[in-house]
Amino acid sequence: QVQLVESGGGLVQPGGSLRLSCAASGSIFTIYAMGWYRQAPGKQRDLVATITSGGSTNYADSVKGRFTISRDNVKNTVYLQMNSLEPEDTAVYYCNANLVALAARHDFWGQGTQVTVSS
């Protein structure tokens, strides 16, 4: 069994910052890409940022220059530092990991963490 557990969401004022964390645990052999996605009410789930095991990153245009993704391969944890938050960033943020567990490669998702940007 594999679990992705997210933390760090909450309510923040426009212009503020939050840091999300997502720790993967279980019978993991190796983790390839990890990433963050978000889903606002009534909208589809969209990519926010991804990072490979080697540290290469990719960002949605809407968050470039404001968000930074990083990972700790020893702790099997991915982070999302979010600065200069805007009301449009309000969404449920989901962690994703593409990994090998029990001899099979799968995509796993966390349960989601709410981020609300409001004054």
Side-chain angles (χ1 to χ4, degrees):
Q1 293 85 356
V2 174
Q3 280 191 315
L4 300 183
V5 179
E6 298 131 335
S7 60
L11 173 64
V12 64
Q13 292 185 342
S17 298
L18 282 175
R19 189 189 193 214
L20 305 183
S21 300
C22 171
S25 63
S27 303
I28 298 169
F29 177 72
T30 191
I31 302 178
Y32 295 100
M34 301 185 81
W36 292 94
Y37 293 72
R38 66 186 181 186
Q39 188 168 18
K43 296 188 176 182
Q44 66 182 18
R45 188 176 298 187
D46 291 327
L47 179 146
V48 175
T50 61
I51 185 168
T52 67
S53 57
S56 296
T57 59
N58 179 52
Y59 295 93
D61 288 343
S62 59
V63 307
K64 284 181 180 176
R66 300 188 298 122
F67 291 9
T68 302
I69 189 170
S70 61
R71 66 189 280 176
D72 184 328
N73 291 330
V74 174
K75 296 181 178 179
N76 288 342
T77 300
V78 63
Y79 306 97
L80 186 68
Q81 178 67 43
M82 304 186 293
N83 298 329
S84 303
L85 282 160
E86 304 168 352
E88 292 74 21
D89 296 316
T90 295
V92 178
Y93 283 70
Y94 295 92
C95 171
N96 171 271
N98 182 258
L99 56 86
V100 175
L102 300 177
R105 186 169 177 173
H106 297 285
D107 272 319
F108 287 87
W109 293 89
Q111 79 284 358
T113 186
Q114 177 70 45
V115 171
T116 302
V117 184
S118 176
S119 55

